Amino acid sequence: MHLNAPPQFAAPALLGCLLVRDEVTLRITEVEAYGGPEDSASHARHGRTARNAPMWGPPGRAYLYFCYGVHWMLNVVTGPEGEASAVLIRGAEVMAGLGCVLAQRKAAKETPQLCAGPGKVAQALGLDGAFDGHDLLAPGGLELRAGLPPRTILTGHRLGIGFATAEHRARPWRFAAGDSLAVLQRKALHPL
DNA sequence: CGCCGGATTTAA
DNA sequence: TAAATCCGGCGA
């Protein structure tokens, strides 16, 4: 993991890494990079505020926020402390604790899309605002660990952004594991 | 202080 | 295709 790097470099490095909480272990399959004030789609676009403060913090911390009044979104803070950037965890596969995940997700059985989507990932891990700012590299609570990196990586544009500026098209912001089906709109991605 | 709209999910 | 359902940030 190279978290002390710009988000577009840290993002693909997070693919295959593990998110562990109690008996649940998820393997990250899809991520999306977000930058600082210069990134018009980032929460940091209006500068530092109470909500996005974790984005300016040291890498390896969690940044969680409530979206659409419905779902929590998990980000891994990247880049050097003092600069804002983070990587949204968009999808994952269940490696352990399937029973817990099914209960959290209120699902009857496992499917490739069980944890495909940022809201689903946080729900599967039972996360909420209490984990905002949590140190993912320290033991306890929610942990980020090295895992099995994908053999190939897919890349493409961001999802859910209602506009597409030249900056957004200039380079890829979304990355996914080529060996996984836990990826939304996989057809929109292409090999790195 | 009130309004607008969003890094989404699910069900109809 | 729309509803669910909050709150951050901006304009007044």
Side-chain angles (χ1 to χ4, degrees):
Chain A
M1 286 179 275
H2 308 271
L3 299 181
N4 194 187
Q8 60 270 37
F9 293 105
L14 282 168
L15 293 174
C17 287
L18 306 177
L19 287 168
V20 183
R21 185 186 180 197
D22 299 326
E23 55 257 70
V24 174
T25 298
L26 301 185
R27 173 174 180 261
I28 298 171
T29 58
E30 184 186 346
V31 297
E32 206 162 86
Y34 285 90
E38 75 289 348
D39 180 356
S40 62
S42 171
H43 283 177
R45 64 185 176 280
H46 296 304
R48 184 171 184 152
T49 66
R51 178 175 69 149
N52 64 30
M55 291 184 72
W56 269 265
R61 297 284 181 82
Y63 164 46
L64 278 105
Y65 74 95
F66 201 44
C67 185
Y68 290 97
V70 181
H71 296 104
W72 286 97
M73 305 284 181
L74 170 65
N75 291 255
V76 174
V77 175
T78 59
E81 184 167 5
E83 286 180 32
S85 68
V87 174
L88 172 69
I89 307 304
R90 289 197 53 92
E93 294 170 339
V94 180
M95 306 299 286
L98 178 60
C100 292
V101 173
L102 290 176
Q104 294 275 180
R105 290 276 302 113
K106 292 168 183 150
K109 60 172 186 175
E110 183 175 27
T111 67
Q113 310 278 287
L114 181 62
C115 299
K120 295 178 180 177
V121 172
Q123 186 181 47
L125 289 164
L127 304 180
D128 59 23
F131 286 83
D132 192 35
H134 179 81
D135 185 353
L136 299 169
L137 305 181
L142 177 66
E143 295 177 35
L144 176 66
R145 300 180 192 164
L148 180 66
R151 194 176 287 103
T152 59
I153 292 179
L154 305 176
T155 183
H157 64 76
R158 281 167 171 153
L159 294 183
I161 301 298
F163 53 93
T165 65
E167 175 66 11
H168 290 154
R169 285 187 291 264
R171 54 181 164 171
W173 296 92
R174 185 162 76 104
F175 304 87
D179 59 17
S180 177
L181 292 179
V183 178
L184 296 180
Q185 297 191 27
R186 206 162 174 274
K187 291 166 291 187
L189 303 173
H190 60 81
L192 185 58

